[in-house]
Amino acid sequence: IGMSSRDVKPDEMKKYPELVVTTIGKDGVALIINPGNTVTSLSTAQIKGIYNGNFTNWKEVGGADRAIVVVGRDSASGTREFFTSSVMGGQNYVPTMLEKNSNGAVQQTISQTPGAIGYVGLGFIDESVKAIKVNTGSVEVEPTVQNVLSGKYPLSRSLYLLTSGQPSGLAKEYLDYILSPEGQGLLTEEGFVPVS
């Protein structure tokens, strides 16, 4: 069984036609900042502008006069791939972006760095960081499980388990468990959004 937090690409399905993709949940990708930052929301255009280097100071997006420290995930990350397609539209990141290899590393960097911004899964929002709302133009939406579930929060993605062919034996038992009320409850406890 493989895990993926990004969609399987058409060329991957062509290369591995026996691949079976099972959606087990959803996750929101939250923008987090240092708790000392006064900014409460950003539009996707502003987020993109921060990550491509068009905005380099928080005062350009309604905050204090402080340099923006851009933090992202490494190039092997499914979260980064989602962010690249959904927010960046395939544009390059600012060359000074600090690349971290996990959600936890992003969270820790943001919590310790005034002026920093990063993106993490919902389960990594706690009191050490401040999650910001995404301004959709008509409303500011908080990154919460409820808002991902309702479809209001714009930065969300599905989570998958992958098998070679239809799962059987222990793999099928595991998938059945993950999709059961108990398994979906565990997903919820970890800050993810259930599919059932």
Side-chain angles (χ1 to χ4, degrees):
I1 300 176
M3 296 186 296
S4 180
S5 59
R6 67 160 175 85
D7 293 338
V8 177
K9 298 174 184 175
D11 63 321
E12 292 169 331
M13 286 304 294
K14 190 175 182 179
K15 187 174 180 182
Y16 304 103
E18 70 285 354
L19 201 62
V20 174
V21 180
T22 304
T23 304
I24 60 160
K26 292 188 85 173
D27 189 20
V29 176
L31 276 298
I32 57 171
I33 56 178
N34 185 274
N37 195 323
T38 58
V39 170
T40 58
S41 73
L42 292 169
S43 68
T44 50
Q46 288 173 318
I47 296 165
K48 181 178 180 178
I50 287 169
Y51 275 85
N52 69 19
N54 286 343
F55 299 124
T56 59
N57 192 298
W58 283 106
K59 68 181 178 185
E60 298 172 285
V61 292
D65 185 4
R66 180 185 295 273
I68 298 173
V69 178
V70 178
V71 181
R73 294 292 306 278
D74 61 275
S75 60
S77 161
T79 307
R80 176 168 167 167
E81 184 151 330
F82 168 81
F83 196 84
T84 300
S85 63
S86 298
V87 176
M88 299 302 290
Q91 282 192 7
N92 289 329
Y93 291 91
V94 62
T96 56
M97 181 175 79
L98 304 175
E99 292 188 8
K100 302 295 175 178
N101 64 0
S102 69
N103 280 303
V106 171
Q107 177 197 40
Q108 182 178 16
T109 302
I110 302 306
S111 72
Q112 297 172 350
T113 311
I117 184 171
Y119 53 87
V120 294
L122 293 186
F124 289 85
I125 300 171
D126 65 15
E127 68 285 342
S128 73
V129 295
K130 177 178 164 183
I132 58 173
K133 299 171 188 167
V134 174
N135 185 332
T136 64
S138 57
V139 66
E140 294 178 345
V141 187
E142 287 185 66
T144 65
V145 168
Q146 294 77 16
N147 287 338
V148 170
L149 198 54
S150 71
K152 291 178 186 173
Y153 187 70
L155 301 179
S156 66
R157 61 186 172 166
S158 293
L159 303 172
Y160 308 102
L161 289 179
L162 313 170
T163 55
S164 180
Q166 287 299 325
S168 61
L170 194 56
K172 183 175 181 346
E173 288 178 38
Y174 180 72
L175 278 167
D176 289 347
Y177 175 75
I178 291 293
L179 294 170
S180 74
E182 187 179 353
Q184 291 290 289
L186 288 173
L187 216 67
T188 304
E189 284 176 27
E190 294 298 320
F192 297 107
V193 181
V195 290
S196 58

